[in-house]
Amino acid sequence: MDAATGAMVAGMLGDHYRVVHALRRRLRVYTPVVLKDQERAYLLEILLTKHPSIARVRAVPEIGSVAVYYDPARITAASLLTLLDRVLGNLAPKPGATGGRTLAAPSAAHAGETCPAGSCPASLRVSYLAIEGMTCASCALLIQMDLQRDPRVSEASVSFGSGSAMIRGRLSQDEIALRVARLGYRARPMDNLTQRQALIASERERVRKAGQRALVAGLLTVPVMTLGMAMHRSRLLRLLEWGLATPVVFWAGWPFFDKAWRLARRRASNMDTLIALGAGSAYAYSVTTLWWRSRHVYFEAAAGIVTFVLLGRYLEERAKGKASEAIRRLVELQPQTATLLDGVGERQVSVDSLRVGDLLLVRPGDRIPTDGLVTGGTSDVDESMVTGESMPVTKAAGDRVVGGCMNGLGLLRVQVTAIGADTVLAGIVRMVDEAQAGKLPVQKLVDRVSAVFVPGVMAVAGATFLAWIGRGARLTAAMSNAIAVLLIACPCSLGLATPVAIMVATGRAARHGIYVRNGEALELAARLDVVVFDKTGTLTEGRPRVTDLINLSKWTDTFLLERALAVESGSEHFLGRAIAAEAREQGLRGLEANEFQARPGRGVQARVGAQRVLLGNRDYLEEHGVGTGRLEGRAEQLAAQGKTPVLMALDGAAVALFGVADRPRPGARAAVARLHQLGVRTLLVTGDIQAAAEHVAAEVGIDEVIAGARPADKLAVIDRLRAQGLRVGMIGDGVNDAPALAAADVGFAVGGGTEVAMEAAHLTIASGDIGRVAQTIALSRRTMSVIHQNLFWAFGYNALAIPIAASGRLNPMFASAAMAMSSVSVVSNSLRLNRGDL
């Protein structure tokens, strides 16, 4: 959707940004004046959130909407408006400042930098990078805090669970990678599917090597532990322990020491610091006492710590791999090669070398290499990876196909329409990435805890050591207890509790054609009280047909249809398309229309030749001074039959009435019933007339109906419900639904609808099956239940384990084993979301 359409929508709701809705802690303004590009939207969010009374800002430039979440105890709505005046005024384009370059902005089609590195250094970029080498939540928090310290970074979010980072700012990907490398980690781009496939291969190799390292460490540790259990060890046996433990600690365990040293140089710490301190202290003490000819050595503890941690991380990584299996399957759908047709015949080429406009040959059973337009051939294509629907779709010349989908038994010639990050598959993967990397409100609490956890544990370990020494304990016992504290208090399970559950849930949703834009929407969906439905194209199939044409004029039906076709030929509204389709089926050709104007949810008008043509509902015609009295009786009759009446006027006189019928979607009644079973109230809000709306509502089982609703009215319904303390979901598909979708706690966009609706919504249902709304709510509730279980275990584990270790009841070796298993248990619990019905 272009900026002009966005301004039209915003202008429909108010001509200036002082059209304000203030609800408890939220204030929303519509500002078509300023938000013409994503750049200013980002700057607005950044500037506003710097104010201490503002918690969060969400700007949707496509519809000119800004939602400000603020603390009314610290700033009044009037003061907030003054602040908005000042900020918006500073962001407004200056007169005459039209020359020069256009600000680059991230679009829905691009996953990586919005412009090549160095080509637009003054503009904001959004970069998505894979981060390798993170071992716990503290790693992610450390990288995130380091990036946020850079004044060129406006926002940074690093997820340990998904192993990815999102950075918005004026840093290139190379600059980000360099900064991350200084901390001992590696950042790799994942802008396109080929890069992602390389990352997947690299990840598998890394996990394989981690398994080998754990295996070698285990084979060496077993004899060390066996020797350590000997009651009377000779000096020769202790020397043998030393020889076997040394490669375990300094070869298998070298990554811990390397990472700890890098972080120490930057005055930082993480779980690797604790492990290095624990294993290193046990090893150093043992070497010292060995040369002092003491019998008390702890080589088995040092080797056991390293081995158990390596084994735990290997199992954890394997489990995390299963959690991200959904997105890996999506990435691997894109084939590596394509059959290119050129002037000399056909040849195999890399998918990365394709360009828009290239002609491809897709043989039976092949995957379609990239998005394109069928120019020849007929075949059934399996689009389940996009829509979640198992039934193949027949494709012929003129139909669009999506890269990654499986071709059936036919031969297709396909012209490339999108490549790389612009493809549908890349967009789906990016959307899942964003949701998995997003942080729920509860995760922000975990981040704050993790920020002080490692230093706090080190302090507790030091206090434990001093306390035992103060009680007269031997040095070896005091050190053993302190090391146990260092090892048992791993924050890994705490850091994995939320993100892994979100990864599994969003991945499973994606497999069923439900694409979640952010994790917060997944959390809010669990608590929805009411879902508001649009009618046409949402509850109904969106393929209405003209069933009646009532002509009360002196002109023929053909004459009227030609003019209706001229006005509606470019319409995006389902009713307009139905009228245009009826005219085309009768072999009519549209005349030229000028001075076209549209009011979404109301009607359209244009000049065809010398005549002014209006098509719309009764209110729209009456607004233009057209009397509709002689059509109203017939309109009511059509509405009582479940048909939508569309009135037509020529030169200020009502001349005809179209009856348009659209059937409810298959399964709509079952979907509404499922919502009721979940305790969710349903409401139908539509721009259609009351009788037609009530007819459809009765068919699907919705009791509450608000008809004749304009976009502003739909928005007011959302606001009124929220003002009552209800959490509101909205499901729609059109431009007129976009403001309500953006304003709802959770907006569900029906796939196949308008781009602005999907941009404003929080979730997209690719197949248009509204039954997925109930499935999403059910999945959301299960996900939150699993997250709460994970957090209970993670907090409870540390609350119980630290005192036990400090009291001297836990051997360091067993402490490291228990710590490793705690993370594996959290990941395994999250994987339960893959089981059962959705």
Side-chain angles (χ1 to χ4, degrees):
M1 170 180 166
D2 57 20
T5 310
M8 177 195 72
V9 175
M12 176 177 59
L13 300 168
D15 295 331
H16 194 258
Y17 57 81
R18 279 189 178 275
V19 177
V20 177
H21 298 264
L23 295 174
R24 294 168 299 169
R25 293 173 179 266
R26 183 179 68 162
L27 179 144
R28 185 172 60 258
V29 301
Y30 293 98
T31 169
V33 177
V34 173
L35 295 181
K36 294 298 179 91
D37 56 54
Q38 193 74 51
E39 169 90 5
R40 292 193 180 92
Y42 289 151
L43 290 175
L44 178 66
E45 292 177 358
I46 293 166
L47 292 173
L48 289 178
T49 50
K50 290 183 180 297
H51 197 283
S53 64
I54 295 176
R56 184 162 60 92
V57 179
R58 181 171 185 257
V60 184
E62 289 83 2
I63 59 173
S65 169
V66 183
V68 183
Y69 296 80
Y70 69 103
D71 183 356
R74 303 179 69 179
I75 188 172
T76 64
S79 299
L80 187 54
L81 274 175
T82 302
L83 175 64
L84 283 167
D85 273 335
R86 185 168 66 252
V87 174
L88 288 169
N90 291 335
L91 291 178
K94 302 298 185 289
T98 57
R101 72 176 165 81
T102 302
L103 291 172
S107 76
H110 295 276
E113 296 179 281
T114 58
C115 55
S119 65
C120 48
S123 68
L124 289 174
R125 302 180 178 93
V126 178
S127 297
Y128 294 95
L129 298 166
I131 306 295
E132 296 180 349
M134 292 192 295
T135 55
C136 67
S138 297
C139 298
L141 192 62
L142 173 68
I143 298 169
Q144 181 173 304
M145 292 173 65
D146 186 78
L147 288 169
Q148 288 173 339
R149 291 191 188 104
D150 194 309
R152 296 169 295 175
V153 174
S154 62
E155 181 184 354
S157 177
V158 183
S159 170
F160 170 51
S162 63
S164 63
M166 185 283 293
I167 302 95
R168 180 179 290 130
R170 292 180 172 82
L171 283 174
S172 70
Q173 289 188 349
D174 290 340
E175 290 171 319
I176 295 169
L178 182 61
R179 192 172 185 106
V180 170
R182 292 195 188 110
L183 296 174
Y185 306 92
R186 184 183 182 189
R188 298 181 62 180
M190 50 180 190
D191 299 341
N192 55 53
L193 295 179
T194 301
Q195 289 177 339
R196 288 176 183 272
Q197 288 169 342
L199 283 171
I200 290 171
S202 174
E203 175 70 11
R204 286 173 174 162
E205 178 65 15
R206 190 177 63 81
V207 172
R208 186 185 66 81
K209 289 182 177 179
Q212 289 179 344
R213 188 180 291 266
L215 177 62
V216 172
L219 292 175
L220 292 173
T221 299
V222 168
V224 174
M225 295 175 66
T226 303
L227 292 171
M229 289 187 287
M231 295 297 293
H232 301 285
R233 285 176 285 183
S234 67
R235 180 173 174 77
L236 181 60
L237 290 180
R238 292 198 299 274
L239 288 171
L240 182 57
E241 282 186 69
W242 179 31
L244 291 170
T246 298
V248 175
V249 174
F250 291 107
W251 174 76
W254 175 249
F256 304 135
F257 294 97
D258 181 55
K259 188 71 64 61
W261 173 245
R262 287 173 180 263
L263 294 175
R265 292 173 60 185
R266 299 182 68 86
R267 298 180 181 180
S269 61
N270 70 353
M271 189 57 208
D272 291 304
T273 306
L274 301 184
I275 296 168
L277 282 174
S281 299
Y283 182 86
Y285 176 82
S286 298
V287 171
T288 303
T289 56
L290 175 65
W291 294 109
W292 283 352
R293 298 183 181 276
S294 170
R295 293 185 177 181
H296 298 288
V297 293
Y298 291 94
F299 289 119
E300 76 278 7
I305 288 167
V306 171
T307 299
F308 282 125
V309 172
L310 287 174
L311 177 61
R313 288 189 176 174
Y314 169 67
L315 295 175
E316 178 186 310
E317 287 297 325
R318 286 195 61 184
K320 283 171 62 180
K322 293 180 181 178
S324 58
E325 189 64 29
I327 196 167
R328 292 186 180 186
R329 288 179 182 174
L330 285 172
V331 170
E332 291 171 349
L333 286 175
Q334 179 182 275
Q336 297 291 311
T337 61
T339 303
L340 178 68
L341 297 175
D342 53 22
V344 295
E346 61 182 64
R347 57 192 174 94
Q348 292 292 312
V349 298
S350 168
V351 169
D352 292 338
S353 68
L354 295 177
R355 296 291 180 265
V356 173
D358 285 348
L359 190 62
L360 307 178
L361 184 68
V362 183
R363 292 187 170 86
D366 285 352
R367 288 200 178 274
I368 297 169
T370 190
D371 296 358
L373 185 71
V374 177
T375 60
T378 302
S379 184
D380 291 334
V381 176
D382 180 2
E383 295 185 332
S384 58
M385 68 97 182
V386 175
T387 65
E389 295 294 329
S390 58
M391 291 297 295
V393 180
T394 301
K395 299 291 184 179
D399 291 332
R400 294 191 175 275
V401 289
V402 176
C405 293
M406 181 68 75
N407 185 29
L409 300 178
L411 187 70
L412 294 176
R413 286 182 174 81
V414 176
Q415 186 176 37
V416 175
T417 58
I419 56 174
D422 295 334
T423 63
V424 170
L425 183 58
I428 290 172
V429 172
R430 182 179 59 256
M431 190 181 296
V432 176
D433 261 344
E434 291 173 359
Q436 293 183 348
K439 295 188 177 181
L440 275 61
V442 68
Q443 179 65 22
K444 294 173 184 176
L445 169 64
V446 173
D447 284 347
R448 288 196 294 270
V449 173
S450 298
V452 298
F453 203 89
V454 172
V457 168
M458 294 171 68
V460 172
T464 299
F465 177 80
L466 294 175
W468 279 96
I469 291 293
R471 293 178 57 184
R474 290 184 306 177
L475 179 64
T476 55
M479 179 170 290
S480 176
N481 296 336
I483 291 172
V485 171
L486 286 174
L487 297 172
I488 198 67
C490 171
C492 291
S493 59
L494 199 61
L496 290 169
T498 300
V500 175
I502 292 177
M503 286 173 64
V504 178
T506 52
R508 186 171 188 197
R511 290 200 303 271
H512 289 80
I514 304 167
Y515 301 108
V516 185
R517 292 180 68 88
N518 56 67
E520 187 175 355
L522 192 66
E523 178 180 5
L524 290 173
R527 305 200 300 269
L528 289 180
D529 301 302
V530 57
V531 171
V532 177
F533 285 90
D534 173 49
K535 183 179 77 71
T536 305
T538 302
L539 271 177
T540 59
E541 292 180 336
R543 294 193 293 269
R545 297 189 60 83
V546 174
T547 57
D548 301 86
L549 171 53
I550 301 170
N551 186 351
L552 301 181
S553 71
K554 62 182 179 180
W555 292 290
T556 65
D557 291 355
T558 298
F559 182 90
L560 297 179
L561 278 171
E562 283 177 337
R563 277 137 189 85
L565 175 60
V567 176
E568 298 283 15
S569 59
S571 177
E572 66 170 17
H573 196 279
F574 292 103
L575 298 177
R577 289 178 183 174
I579 294 172
E582 176 68 17
R584 291 190 181 103
E585 284 180 7
Q586 295 190 21
L588 303 180
R589 299 178 61 186
L591 305 173
E592 183 178 354
N594 300 301
E595 302 175 24
F596 178 84
Q597 297 179 30
R599 288 283 302 278
R602 306 283 279 178
V604 294
Q605 63 170 308
R607 183 169 295 281
V608 181
Q611 291 181 306
R612 171 68 59 181
V613 182
L614 278 76
L615 284 158
N617 59 26
R618 183 189 63 185
D619 293 341
Y620 183 71
L621 267 65
E622 289 181 347
E623 281 180 12
H624 290 81
V626 178
T628 60
R630 61 177 185 159
L631 294 176
E632 286 185 10
R634 305 296 293 274
E636 290 174 0
Q637 292 175 7
L638 291 176
Q641 301 168 19
K643 301 172 182 177
T644 301
V646 179
L647 287 71
M648 182 177 184
L650 292 180
D651 292 331
V655 296
L657 175 67
F658 293 91
V660 183
D662 189 13
R663 296 180 301 176
R665 288 182 182 270
R669 187 174 187 86
V672 172
R674 176 84 187 280
L675 287 172
H676 291 165
Q677 290 172 0
L678 293 171
V680 178
R681 173 181 157 199
T682 55
L683 184 66
L684 174 60
V685 181
T686 176
D688 213 340
I689 64 171
Q690 189 75 29
E694 289 181 349
H695 180 86
V696 172
E699 285 194 69
V700 300
I702 295 178
D703 298 324
E704 299 178 71
V705 177
I706 297 176
R710 294 174 293 179
D713 298 325
K714 293 183 178 182
L715 185 61
V717 170
I718 300 294
D719 287 343
R720 184 171 67 250
L721 291 169
R722 287 178 54 86
Q724 296 170 11
L726 300 174
R727 295 182 181 89
V728 185
M730 168 72 191
I731 175 168
D733 66 304
V735 170
N736 60 323
D737 299 319
L741 287 168
D745 291 292
V746 181
F748 299 85
V750 177
T754 61
E755 181 182 339
V756 69
M758 288 186 280
E759 185 64 29
H762 306 90
L763 299 97
T764 298
I765 302 169
S767 66
D769 179 5
I770 59 174
R772 303 287 165 85
V773 175
Q775 291 177 340
T776 302
I777 293 173
L779 176 63
S780 175
R781 292 181 179 180
R782 284 186 60 200
T783 303
M784 294 311 301
S785 175
V786 166
I787 288 174
H788 292 149
Q789 293 166 12
N790 288 347
L791 290 173
F792 177 81
W793 163 251
F795 278 111
Y797 164 82
N798 285 292
L800 291 173
I802 293 176
I804 292 173
S807 66
R809 294 184 173 89
L810 196 61
N811 180 282
M813 192 162 49
F814 294 118
S816 62
M819 176 269 291
M821 291 305 104
S822 69
S823 297
V824 175
S825 66
V826 165
V827 177
S828 299
N829 188 47
S830 299
L831 289 173
R832 293 191 303 111
L833 290 168
N834 272 327
R835 297 194 293 267
D837 296 331
L838 188 62

